[in-house]
Amino acid sequence: EILLAQILLAERHLGAKSFVAPYVASLPAEGEYPSVHPLFWPADLCLDELFAGSAHGMRWADWCLRSAARRVDVLLSSGAAVDDSEARWALATVDSRGFTFQPDSEDESLALVPFLDMVNTGVTTWKCSFKPPGPPSEGAPLEIEEPIRRGEEILYEYGANSSAMLWMRYGFLGNHDGPNPHEGAAFSVNVQAALASDAADLREAKVAALVENQPMFEIDDPLFFTLPDDAEFGRALYPVSRLLACCSIEELEMLRPTSLWPPMYLGPEFEVRARSLLAEWLRGALQACDDSACKLQEALAKGTAGFPSEQHRSLHEFAARLLERERPLLEFEFRSCEDFLSAAAAALDEGGGDAFA
């Protein structure tokens, strides 16, 4: 992104002498990009307040702000941008209009593609896709995957972006005509709190098991789970909940030889305990989501008078809309836990707990 932004700025500074001057002139000017894009957020914005109910949004926002600060510094220190405003303009252009060629390969590259960067996305209504087989020099075809009627807007999928990702990269949430198939939500687990009631030897054994299966794990950092990805078969959510539900080193040792996956069945009572722990985490995430949504709506009900600027009001409106889109994923996983626990309780009452093996 930095290299492409430097090239764009060099062409901009050439003015009419640039071969791509007409294209540069067609781009949004400084101040015309959405003010809700992270590159233009006010310095006094409180992320903890804005994303109190969205761990997914908070993580993306924090990453974007850190990345923006680093990239702006590079553009300024290299002399590519004349000031902070120009640096942010260039980065916003690259972030929101750049196309990735040959992704996930040694030849992956990023390019600005005139005309194609004017095509909007349709999260659920797109009929075109961008899948260039080669580098930018070989062209940038937009492939039609479904018939397009005369007069119908051409839309293509920007990628597998959750609402938070659309906001952080493009500066919009999208007006979906249905649920975003790439929607995401998240929650975090305080490991210190989860281990607080364990004996010292069991606590140390659990930490060792977490480090063994998640090399980047740090005891002081919360565990972070993204939905629906981490709830899928073979991912981290259920194995970790089972690990932290262990009440003895013997139970833990029965899990550890399998590296937590594939799961080893430890009996219905254990599975109920693990799923109850997971339900507790999700209940907390839902409560945080609802509390935050309530506070955001209360602030928005006061109108612009309740905010330092219209930009602050718009950001709070986006945060409220984000929660509306993420909450169903937390609710779905929580209800799944509740259904499991209800069925398990019925089975245990009937003496059929082994049906959960």
Side-chain angles (χ1 to χ4, degrees):
E1 294 92 346
I2 292 176
L3 178 59
L4 186 56
Q6 290 174 326
I7 294 172
L8 173 62
L9 288 167
E11 295 296 332
R12 188 192 202 203
H13 294 161
L14 286 175
K17 295 180 181 180
S18 169
F19 175 74
V20 294
Y23 171 67
V24 175
S26 74
L27 295 171
E30 292 177 34
E32 292 184 352
Y33 279 109
S35 65
V36 293
H37 192 292
L39 279 161
F40 308 109
W41 287 357
D44 63 349
L45 185 66
C46 178
L47 294 188
D48 290 336
E49 174 187 312
L50 195 66
F51 296 104
S54 174
H56 185 56
M58 181 65 179
R59 170 165 279 202
W60 274 101
D62 181 68
W63 181 86
C64 284
L65 290 182
R66 292 175 184 273
S67 173
R70 177 183 60 83
R71 293 183 297 162
V72 166
D73 183 64
V74 171
L75 292 180
L76 291 174
S77 61
S78 67
V82 296
D83 56 27
D84 183 86
S85 178
E86 187 179 52
R88 293 180 183 277
W89 169 84
L91 292 171
T93 299
V94 169
D95 284 353
S96 63
R97 306 173 86 89
F99 288 77
T100 302
F101 290 73
Q102 299 175 281
D104 303 319
S105 73
E106 294 182 355
D107 298 317
E108 179 177 329
S109 59
L110 188 68
L112 294 172
V113 184
F115 178 71
L116 282 192
D117 64 3
M118 298 172 63
V119 180
N120 290 320
T121 187
V123 175
T124 59
T125 57
W126 59 275
K127 294 184 178 179
C128 300
S129 61
F130 181 75
K131 301 175 182 177
S137 60
E138 295 182 6
L142 195 64
E143 300 179 4
I144 298 176
E145 299 195 1
E146 293 184 31
I148 300 176
R149 297 188 300 272
R150 183 185 297 273
E152 183 180 358
E153 182 180 6
I154 296 175
L155 301 171
Y156 83 98
E157 187 184 39
Y158 284 6
N161 294 303
S162 66
S163 292
M165 293 165 68
L166 285 171
W167 179 3
M168 300 309 152
R169 182 169 186 181
Y170 300 103
F172 65 82
L173 288 174
N175 296 316
H176 310 156
D177 59 356
N180 180 354
H182 308 300
E183 194 58 88
F187 65 94
S188 59
V189 174
N190 186 317
V191 182
Q192 295 276 22
L195 301 177
S197 60
D198 291 334
D201 57 345
L202 179 57
R203 184 164 57 247
E204 292 177 5
K206 286 183 178 181
V207 170
L210 286 170
V211 171
E212 177 183 328
N213 289 275
Q214 299 189 47
M216 301 300 292
F217 170 73
E218 294 287 344
I219 185 63
D220 293 327
D221 294 335
L223 288 170
F224 189 87
F225 299 103
T226 300
L227 300 176
D229 293 354
D230 283 330
E232 294 177 353
F233 185 85
R235 300 296 293 270
L237 182 56
Y238 286 93
V240 170
S241 67
R242 297 174 84 242
L243 183 154
L244 293 179
C246 289
C247 288
S248 67
I249 291 181
E250 289 72 25
E251 283 184 341
L252 185 61
E253 289 300 322
M254 292 177 67
L255 289 178
R256 288 189 65 179
T258 65
S259 295
L260 304 189
W261 203 269
M264 177 176 289
Y265 181 63
L266 299 186
E269 289 82 5
F270 175 82
E271 301 306 332
V272 166
R273 194 194 317 149
R275 200 64 63 97
S276 297
L277 180 60
L278 178 52
E280 179 185 330
W281 296 342
L282 290 163
R283 187 181 296 108
L286 282 167
Q287 188 63 57
C289 179
D290 292 342
D291 290 346
S292 178
C294 183
K295 291 180 180 179
L296 289 169
Q297 292 299 341
E298 287 177 354
L300 289 168
K302 299 177 183 178
T304 51
F307 298 96
S309 68
E310 173 60 24
Q311 182 185 20
H312 285 78
R313 191 204 66 78
S314 295
L315 286 165
H316 280 69
E317 180 183 357
F318 264 54
R321 290 169 57 194
L322 180 64
L323 292 179
E324 291 178 359
R325 298 181 180 189
E326 293 184 348
R327 192 186 192 284
L329 279 78
L330 296 169
E331 177 76 16
F332 176 83
E333 204 59 45
F334 176 70
R335 292 305 173 194
S336 295
C337 287
E338 292 286 278
D339 291 344
F340 176 93
L341 292 171
S342 295
L348 288 170
D349 287 342
E350 296 174 3
D354 289 339
F356 289 88

